Amino acid sequence: MTPVLSVRNLFRIFGTACSRCFDGNDEICGNKCPWCGAIVACKNISFDLYPEEVLGIVGESGSGKSTLLKILYFEEEPTSGEMFIHLTKRNACFPGEAFMGSVDAANVLSLNSYQKRLFRNHYMGMVYQNPFLGLRMHISAGGNIAEKLFMAGFRNIAKIRERAIYLLEKTEVPGNRLDESPASFSGGMQQRVQIAKALSNVPMLLFLDEPTTGLDLSVQARVLDLIKSLQKEMRLATIVVSHDLGIIRHLTTRTMVMKDGEIVEAGLTDQVLEDPQHPFTQLLVCSTL
Amino acid sequence: MTANYNYAFIDESTKKEIRRKILKAIAIPGYQVPFGSRELPIARGWGTGGLQITLSIIGEQDTFKVIDQGSDDSVNAVNIRKFIAQTTSVRFTTDTAQATLIQTRHRIPEEKLNEGQVLILQVPIPEPLRLIEHSETGTRRMHAEADYSGMWLYLYENIIRYGETTIGAGYPVMVNGRHMMSPSPIPRWDVPKLNMAEALFLFGAGREKRIYAIPPHTRVVPIEFEDFPFRAEDFRGHECASCKSTDTFLNEIVDSGSGMKKWFCSDSSFCEKRQMQKRQDV
């Protein structure tokens, strides 16, 4: 099977990097390069994401998992590395189709910012841990969803509202709260509006950055079930970043474990969690409450 | 003309810079070109952007008209006309059709502008996205990436909340399908005049140090939704008290004596022209 997303040799180094930062030298302990003092947040990351698959990324805080997700969503520039996307569906209203024709072969990280924006608007969705990052709190819930649709070229208010109501009800937010601002919603509702927004353009790739951290347990379970059912229904290739092994176990089929910017272990989720090989993964698994 | 100053007040090398910036602005319709705004005997914010464009391109062969909110006789217009008279020897007119160069504040004349005419608009805030983004770095990035969803969102929220847009003057337009542009605070009534026009429009913002342009025959479309089209101001049921026009932009004036509301053409020279015509017909 062809992967939807392939990442090769991705580095993200904060500070002025020296040549030794790239070596992957074992002498480096932690993610700070002992020679130049730069922080290596992502160190030689390579992986594939297959169609309709849910891939989990676990790791303690500071392990570079959120930075990795930001790079994939074009929010952060990598220091070096490549990323290839194989379009499994063509988006009918995608205006950049003409010059993006050869995108299958191109390293999308080398596109210019305008092309990246087009690409992101048409093929990607993101749910942040904090709804304040993904939503404009003082604009109506409908407006928040509409924003993504404006980006994708929708220009008809009636159609946009129809779609926004459909998405809100899909994510269990009452459609009649369309014109209220998320600032007046509960945390769980805000998170569901964020999911509705991420799904509004029917993305090919969905990125979830700690989607349920900060929600109470019962709400957490409902949001997780929602994500799972929508992912199945819309057949989204999804990446979930979390430090919560319960969420990883519940949602994902395959998991990568990150430590100090490196992938230390990867495999089927069950396998990684039941029979961890790397000492860090073992520590992680046995630290579960 | 006072001999102590260079022709048209500003020095030749400055004129050269501004002309070069104008050419760049014409080459990229709707794009805001930064320029080194100079000190003038008028304070910034009083039309110095428009004035610097005028001074850079005005020549002996020109016939000049200057208006302020449609009127040839209001303070801003009179001061600028006096200044141009002191520093050049061009002819002046109030007749739109006669002018080769028109500097204006917040109006486009009612009469259709023709090929060869140049309209210079004074601009207080050149950035249409300033409404939604305070940072200049932010708005420049948005223009570079043609990321205008924030403005569409603004319009959407207006319509949802008030059933109507709250943007009165300076309604944002898309120029040549690429750049979002503020047409300066002209009423919505004037916005359609920018589309596929025969004249050249130059915009100057002196305080903000920006020049931009709409060359002749350029597509200029106000932002609008398919099911909520752009609307100009509505003057149905009113006519100009002087010339009886019903097809012009009208100002509402309250008569201080009687307290009655009256409506008058905003474009004073056009109004006079119509009155003259009426008298001749009689």
Side-chain angles (χ1 to χ4, degrees), chain B residues 20-31 33 211-215:
Chain B
R20 238 179 7 233
K21 296 294 160 66
I22 293 171
L23 285 176
K24 179 169 178 180
I26 293 170
I28 318 171
Y31 172 73
V33 185
I211 288 173
Y212 52 100
I214 300 175

Side-chain angles (χ1 to χ4, degrees), chain A residues 113-114 117 136 138-140 142-144 146-147 150-151 155-161 178-179, chain B residues 132 141 144-147 149-150 152-157 159-161 178 224-228:
Chain A
S113 57
Y114 174 63
R117 172 168 295 278
R136 293 173 188 246
H138 295 290
I139 279 185
S140 67
N144 270 291
E147 187 183 12
F150 295 143
M151 289 177 185
R155 292 291 181 264
N156 186 309
I157 290 189
K159 279 185 194 160
I160 286 169
R161 288 176 70 77
L178 182 71
D179 294 332
Chain B
I132 52 164
R141 183 196 55 72
E145 295 177 9
D147 169 21
S149 56
W152 286 99
L153 186 57
Y154 182 86
L155 189 60
Y156 171 87
E157 289 285 303
I159 291 168
I160 296 311
R161 272 191 210 170
R178 176 60 183 83
E224 61 181 350
F225 289 105
E226 287 162 14
D227 51 348
F228 203 94

Side-chain angles (χ1 to χ4, degrees), chain B residues 127-168:
Chain B
E127 181 53 74
L129 303 173
R130 192 60 72 227
L131 210 56
I132 52 164
E133 171 63 61
H134 298 296
S135 129
E136 177 69 17
T137 320
T139 52
R140 285 206 197 186
R141 183 196 55 72
M142 288 159 89
H143 282 298
E145 295 177 9
D147 169 21
Y148 298 129
S149 56
M151 208 61 220
W152 286 99
L153 186 57
Y154 182 86
L155 189 60
Y156 171 87
E157 289 285 303
N158 269 188
I159 291 168
I160 296 311
R161 272 191 210 170
Y162 314 113
E164 174 74 276
T165 170
T166 55
I167 310 170

Side-chain angles (χ1 to χ4, degrees), chain B residues 216-228:
Chain B
H217 309 288
T218 304
R219 214 152 33 89
V220 179
V221 188
I223 61 168
E224 61 181 350
F225 289 105
E226 287 162 14
D227 51 348
F228 203 94

Side-chain angles (χ1 to χ4, degrees), chain B residues 225-279:
Chain B
F225 289 105
E226 287 162 14
D227 51 348
F228 203 94
F230 168 83
R231 279 194 319 139
E233 288 82 355
D234 192 352
F235 295 112
R236 270 174 300 179
H238 301 292
E239 58 169 25
C240 171
S242 306
C243 71
K244 310 296 173 206
S245 290
T246 52
D247 59 347
T248 55
F249 186 80
L250 302 175
N251 286 337
E252 185 184 317
I253 311 276
V254 179
D255 188 76
S256 51
S258 62
M260 293 272 286
K261 275 184 195 167
K262 277 186 172 177
W263 299 79
F264 293 96
C265 285
S266 143
D267 186 340
S268 60
S269 76
F270 183 71
C271 189
E272 273 161 31
K273 229 180 191 179
R274 279 237 166 122
Q275 291 175 49
M276 199 100 84
Q277 235 161 23
K278 283 247 167 74
R279 279 197 290 273

Side-chain angles (χ1 to χ4, degrees), chain A residues 2 18 108 131 149 153 184 190 194 217 224-225 235 244 252 254:
Chain A
T2 339
C18 66
V108 288
L149 296 171
S184 67
Q190 290 177 349
Q194 232 200 129
L217 283 176
L224 283 179
D225 282 342
R235 300 167 165 229
D244 184 335
T252 69
R254 224 152 48 84

